[in-house]
C-alpha cells in the first residue's frame, strides 16, 4: 500500500510539472471549414456526422475571449455535444482586431460581423431560421441582434449573459462616477484605438483574482490524472487568451451598458435604429451559473420581463462563470431544442 501511495505521489508531481511546462497550442477537436472572414474574424462550419435535419445552431461568443472554451477537449466540448445530437454548428470567432478596425463599435460589430455571418449561415444551410446561442457578452450581442431580426431567430439560447449592468458586482463606486460624468474614460478609449489584450486580462483578474490562483492547487491535487491535467491545461490557456478590444467597442460598452444600462429600458437607439427588446418573440432558454462572480443570475434574468417570447425557460447550473463547458448542455436543454428545431 505504501509503495502504491508513493507511485501516485510521484505521478502527481510529475504530472504537475509536465503540465506547467506544456506549451502546446489548442487545436479544434472536430473538423471544421472556414466559410467567411473579415480581417482576423472567421465563420466556422462544423458538420454533424448524423445530421437530424433540424435548423442549425449558431454560436456567438464574446469578443474579448477566444472561443476555445466551447471546444476545450474532445470530452468537454459544447460544440461536440451539439454535433453529437445531430446539429450542424456555426461559430463566429472574433479575431484579434487590426488597426483598420479601431472604429468598430457595437453597431459595427452587429452590422459588419454578426449580421453577414448569420445570413451566410442561413444561405449555407438552406434554412430560413436558426438557433442563436450567445455566451457572456456574445449573448448581449445576440439579444440586440434578435431584437432587430427576430424573424431569423427561432430559438435564442443564452449562457451567463449580462442584461442589467447596474447589478455588476464590485464596481458601484466607479459606475456612479461614470454616470455622474465625474469619470470620463470613453473619450480616452476612442483615442487609444486598440486596447491591448493584457489590459483586458488584468481587468478581468481584478474581478475574479481567486479564480486565477486556486486552479493551480486543483492541478497539484489531481495531476496524476492525465485526462484531468489535459483539461486543466486547455482551461488555463483559455483564461489567459484574452483578445484586444477596439477603443470604439470599449467606449460603447461603457456608454450603452455600464453608464446608461440601455437594455433595461427595453428600447434604445443605436446608430439611428430603434432597438426594442419587446420585438423578440423567439423561443428563449436562459442559462446562468449559481456561483458566477462575473454574471450572477440576477444580471441575466431581468431579460425574461423585457421580451415578448411566450416560450421562456430558465436553468441554473452548478459552479461559476465557465461551468457551462461541463454542465451547460443538459438533457433538458437538448429535449427543448429538439422540440423547437424541427
Amino acid at each position: 500500500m505504501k509503495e502504491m501511495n508513493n507511485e501516485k505521489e510521484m505521478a502527481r508531481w510529475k504530472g504537475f510539472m509536465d503540465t506547467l511546462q506544456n506549451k502546446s497550442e489548442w487545436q479544434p477537436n472536430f473538423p471544421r471549414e472556414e466559410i467567411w472572414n473579415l480581417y482576423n474574424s472567421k465563420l466556422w462550419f462544423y458538420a454533424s456526422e448524423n445530421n437530424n435535419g433540424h435548423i442549425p445552431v449558431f454560436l456567438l461568443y464574446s469578443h474579448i475571449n477566444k472561443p476555445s472554451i466551447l471546444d476545450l477537449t474532445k470530452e468537454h466540448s459544447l460544440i461536440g455535444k451539439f454535433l453529437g445530437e445531430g446539429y450542424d454548428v456555426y461559430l463566429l470567432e472574433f479575431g484579434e482586431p487590426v488597426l483598420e478596425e479601431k472604429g468598430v463599435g457595437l453597431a459595427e460589430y452587429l452590422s459588419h460581423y454578426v449580421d453577414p455571418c448569420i445570413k451566410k449561415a442561413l444561405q449555407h444551410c438552406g434554412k430560413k431560421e436558426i438557433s442563436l446561442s450567445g455566451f457572456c457578452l456574445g449573448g448581449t450581442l445576440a439579444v440586440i441582434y434578435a431584437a432587430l431580426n427576430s424573424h431569423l431567430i427561432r430559438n435564442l439560447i443564452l449562457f451567463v449573459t449580462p442584461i442589467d449592468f447596474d447589478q455588476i458586482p464590485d464596481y458601484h463606486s466607479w459606475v456612479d462616477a461614470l454616470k455622474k460624468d465625474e469619470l470620463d474614460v470613453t473619450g480616452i478609449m476612442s483615442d487609444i484605438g486598440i486596447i491591448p489584450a493584457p489590459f483586458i486580462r488584468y481587468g478581468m483578474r481584478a474581478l475574479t483574482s481567486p479564480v486565477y490562483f486556486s486552479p493551480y492547487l486543483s492541478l497539484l491535487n489531481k495531476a496524476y490524472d492525465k485526462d484531468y491535467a489535459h483539461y486543466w491545461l486547455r482551461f488555463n490557456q483559455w483564461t489567459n487568451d484574452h483578445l484586444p478590444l477596439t477603443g470604439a467597442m470599449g467606449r460603447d460598452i461603457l456608454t450603452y451598458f455600464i453608464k446608461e444600462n440601455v437594455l433595461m429600458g427595453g428600447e434604445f437607439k443605436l446608430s439611428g435604429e430603434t432597438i426594442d427588446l419587446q420585438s423578440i418573440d423567439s423561443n428563449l432558454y436562459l442559462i446562468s451559473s449559481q456561483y458566477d462572480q462575473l454574471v450572477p443570475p440576477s444580471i441575466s434574468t431581468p431579460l425574461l420581463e423585457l421580451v415578448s417570447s411566450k416560450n421562456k425557460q430558465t436553468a441554473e447550473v452548478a459552479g461559476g462563470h465557465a461551468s457551462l463547458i461541463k454542465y451547460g448542455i443538459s438533457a433538458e436543454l437538448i429535449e427543448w431544442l429538439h422540440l423547437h428545431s424541427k
Side-chain angles (χ1 to χ4, degrees):
M1 180 65 72
K2 186 176 181 180
E3 289 182 2
M4 289 180 62
N5 288 337
N6 287 339
E7 289 178 6
K8 185 175 181 179
E9 188 69 10
M10 290 178 64
R12 184 164 69 94
W13 281 100
K14 183 179 185 305
F16 182 74
M17 297 305 297
D18 287 349
T19 302
L20 293 184
Q21 296 178 69
N22 189 333
K23 303 300 181 184
S24 65
E25 295 292 328
W26 172 89
Q27 296 294 328
N29 295 288
F30 299 91
R32 62 183 186 173
E33 174 190 359
E34 179 186 323
I35 62 172
W36 177 94
N37 65 75
L38 180 61
Y39 296 109
N40 290 324
S41 296
K42 296 176 172 60
L43 177 62
W44 298 103
F45 169 63
Y46 297 77
S48 174
E49 292 183 355
N50 57 327
N51 186 280
N52 57 23
H54 294 177
I55 60 174
V57 176
F58 188 105
L59 306 180
L60 184 56
Y61 197 65
S62 171
H63 53 283
I64 61 173
N65 271 100
K66 295 182 180 179
S68 57
I69 194 171
L70 304 180
D71 183 31
L72 209 58
T73 69
K74 194 88 172 182
E75 295 74 24
H76 296 100
S77 172
L78 265 78
I79 290 174
K81 289 179 180 178
F82 280 127
L83 293 173
E85 293 292 335
Y87 292 94
D88 286 345
V89 174
Y90 295 88
L91 168 67
L92 171 52
E93 178 179 7
F94 293 117
E96 183 170 329
V98 298
L99 192 58
E100 289 83 354
E101 295 175 287
K102 66 180 183 179
V104 173
L106 178 59
E108 290 76 23
Y109 268 114
L110 290 164
S111 62
H112 299 348
Y113 298 80
V114 180
D115 185 59
C117 282
I118 287 181
K119 288 176 178 174
K120 175 67 176 180
L122 289 168
Q123 178 191 40
H124 186 264
C125 70
K127 305 286 187 182
K128 294 182 179 180
E129 296 175 302
I130 209 163
S131 293
L132 176 58
S133 185
F135 303 83
C136 195
L137 282 172
T140 309
L141 289 179
V143 167
I144 299 173
Y145 184 82
L148 290 168
N149 301 275
S150 189
H151 63 290
L152 301 179
I153 312 302
R154 186 187 303 177
N155 304 311
L156 183 59
I157 307 169
L158 302 174
F159 294 82
V160 291
T161 293
I163 298 297
D164 185 358
F165 284 78
D166 276 353
Q167 298 192 51
I168 292 179
D170 300 328
Y171 271 133
H172 298 299
S173 58
W174 71 261
V175 169
D176 286 343
L178 186 68
K179 289 187 174 184
K180 295 175 182 176
D181 293 323
E182 296 171 356
L183 179 65
D184 182 17
V185 296
T186 56
I188 297 173
M189 284 200 166
S190 295
D191 291 341
I192 289 175
I194 303 293
I195 303 168
F199 281 56
I200 309 300
R201 182 164 62 249
Y202 298 146
M204 300 302 288
R205 289 190 179 187
L207 268 179
T208 59
S209 55
V211 172
Y212 293 94
F213 295 101
S214 58
Y216 290 92
L217 301 178
S218 299
L219 173 64
L220 182 60
N221 188 47
K222 295 186 66 176
Y224 57 84
D225 183 334
K226 291 183 179 180
D227 290 337
Y228 178 84
H230 178 63
Y231 164 80
W232 184 95
L233 171 67
R234 295 301 175 223
F235 184 86
N236 191 61
Q237 286 177 334
W238 170 78
T239 64
N240 290 284
D241 264 346
H242 290 88
L243 293 170
L245 180 67
T246 67
M249 189 58 168
R251 173 203 66 209
D252 286 350
I253 289 174
L254 285 175
T255 301
Y256 289 113
F257 300 147
I258 305 297
K259 183 178 181 179
E260 300 176 2
N261 201 19
V262 294
L263 295 178
M264 288 304 295
E267 181 177 315
F268 66 99
K269 292 281 188 180
L270 182 64
S271 291
E273 244 183 317
T274 299
I275 313 294
D276 185 358
L277 300 194
Q278 282 193 347
S279 66
I280 299 176
D281 57 7
S282 311
N283 302 312
L284 175 62
Y285 203 106
L286 183 67
I287 302 166
S288 54
S289 294
Q290 187 176 7
Y291 303 112
D292 194 336
Q293 290 179 283
L294 288 174
V295 187
S298 60
I299 292 180
S300 299
T301 53
L303 180 66
L304 299 171
E305 303 302 320
L306 297 171
V307 301
S308 299
S309 306
K310 293 180 180 178
N311 181 351
K312 294 181 282 190
Q313 301 287 327
T314 61
E316 190 173 300
V317 302
H321 190 68
S323 295
L324 61 92
I325 61 172
K326 285 187 176 180
Y327 310 114
I329 307 297
S330 63
E332 291 77 16
L333 172 57
I334 292 299
E335 181 180 357
W336 180 91
L337 188 60
H338 284 336
L339 183 62
H340 297 97
S341 299
K342 297 178 181 178

